Amino acid sequence: MLDESTAILQPAAWVNGPVADIFSSYMAAVALSAAHELGLLERLAKDGWVSLDDGENGIPQLDTDAVHSICAALRWANVVHIEDDKTLIPGPNFAQAYAARGYFYWMVRGCGELFTQAPRITRKQNRTGSFYRRDMRAVAVGSRLIGDAEVEPLFDAILAAEDIRKVVDLGCGSGRRLIRIAQRRPATHCIGIDLSEDAVRAAAEAVAEYDLENRISIRLGDARSLAPEHAFRDVDTVTCVFMGHDFWPYDNCVLTLGRLRRAFPSIERLLLCDVAKTTSDSADMTIFTLGFEMAHALMGVYVPTLEEWQSAFVESGWSCRAIHPTTSPPNGFLFELHPNRTSD
Ligand SMILES: C[S@@+](CC[C@H](N)C(=O)[O-])C[C@H]1O[C@@H](n2cnc3c(N)ncnc32)[C@H](O)[C@@H]1O
């Protein structure tokens, strides 16, 4: 209960300061996501400036007042400076914000509707059927940007040493991992599988853009219920990034991991990368952690700890040869798994 002195707190005590900053941080996050989608961050990173006028080198397609309001929120966060009211240039926090743009796009554009619906979704009576919506195209784009800094170079390093004939990417999202693999390995064939029609459409468009349809096929499917088929018989490598938590809870995950060994009879490696649940309260909160854990709790998706993952691998007949922790995403792990041939 508020004591009397708190209850009569004067507005002057909170219209500035930490609580006001929470409000403004939200607007800065919205502005970062919008500036990414509008291409403003990319132009600042590439050219070092963006003209805010209507001319050819400026923002002729965009409403000037709306852009100025987005830039004002970014300026508050020291992400940009605005010179003479007409030229946008990077501010002291630009490099960090640009590097982290995928997290903001995932949160605001990908999960915005989920978060605004939190009160409704939290009521038990409303948690049946399709009770939430996310923008899965934006989730896929955000995930790709999140993975670009550390996860993808890790994949490239692990795969560089391997002779790979055919790759399946489960929950392929934007399709960019398969595109990169196919570009680097002219003899490798790839299949991307995703549950979301929006992600499948985006991935198929990206594959066509790179002219790789003859070596990459993208299809709609559920990674939890794959069965052996002709196209899978020579798959030696399966990748699965930022979606393994969808296999859970524990018993379902063990079933799915076992099923994957049987669906891909020639599999030599499963490279599974995911964010695990944090197990300690840290005052120094990393980017993403609160959003990732809240989003999945709202959706009713269980997020396992590192230890729970390791138990599931043992029980489902996979041996984990290496675990690579990642800094970005925080509490992420890339597991190098190999099938125990004696498990069936
Ligand atoms: C967070 S995104 C990650 C996308 C991509 N793997 C990446 O690294 O950028 C998760 C993706 O997994 C897909 N997904 C979720 N559950 C799935 C399932 N059971 N089977 C196939 N795809 C699934 C989602 O539609 C989404 O595109």
Side-chain angles (χ1 to χ4, degrees), residues 174-249:
S174 68
R176 295 302 165 118
R177 182 167 314 102
L178 294 180
I179 290 171
R180 219 181 46 258
I181 291 173
Q183 282 176 324
R184 290 172 175 218
R185 296 165 181 267
T188 301
H189 284 76
C190 308
I191 302 173
I193 301 174
D194 203 287
L195 194 59
S196 149
E197 286 181 16
D198 288 343
V200 165
R201 197 172 309 116
E205 281 168 15
V207 167
E209 202 179 301
Y210 286 91
D211 218 6
L212 286 166
E213 296 112 308
N214 57 341
R215 285 196 294 124
I216 303 178
S217 64
I218 303 290
R219 58 158 94 162
L220 196 62
D222 189 335
R224 294 166 298 190
S225 55
L226 297 179
E229 62 170 88
H230 187 71
F232 292 167
R233 76 195 187 294
D234 52 348
V235 169
D236 49 35
T237 302
V238 174
T239 56
C240 177
V241 180
F242 302 156
M243 72 140 287
H245 49 272
D246 287 291
F247 296 164
W248 288 71

Side-chain angles (χ1 to χ4, degrees), residues 12 15 30 62 79 101 120 125 129 139 158 167 198 201 210 215 219 231 300 303 313 324 342 344:
V15 293
V30 168
L62 308 179
V79 172
R101 66 199 185 288
R120 179 183 62 77
Q125 71 204 51
V139 167
I158 293 168
V167 185
D198 288 343
R201 197 172 309 116
Y210 286 91
R215 285 196 294 124
R219 58 158 94 162
V303 177
F313 298 147
H324 306 272
T342 51
D344 286 323

Side-chain angles (χ1 to χ4, degrees), residues 10 20 28 77 82 111-112 132 145 156 204 213 221 239 244 276 326 343:
Q10 294 301 311
I82 303 171
C111 302
Y132 63 84
L145 292 169
D156 292 343
E213 296 112 308
T239 56
T326 65
S343 280

Side-chain angles (χ1 to χ4, degrees), residues 12-33:
W14 48 264
V15 293
N16 297 105
V19 171
D21 286 350
I22 297 173
F23 186 98
S24 301
S25 297
Y26 179 85
M27 294 319 303
V30 168
L32 264 175
S33 171

Side-chain angles (χ1 to χ4, degrees), residues 29-63:
V30 168
L32 264 175
S33 171
H36 165 65
E37 185 168 326
L38 293 170
L40 297 174
L41 297 184
E42 214 54 55
R43 285 174 65 182
L44 276 179
K46 191 164 146 276
D47 304 331
W49 63 280
V50 174
S51 166
L52 294 179
D53 67 27
D54 262 350
E56 208 180 301
N57 295 322
I59 47 165
Q61 318 292 337
L62 308 179
D63 181 85

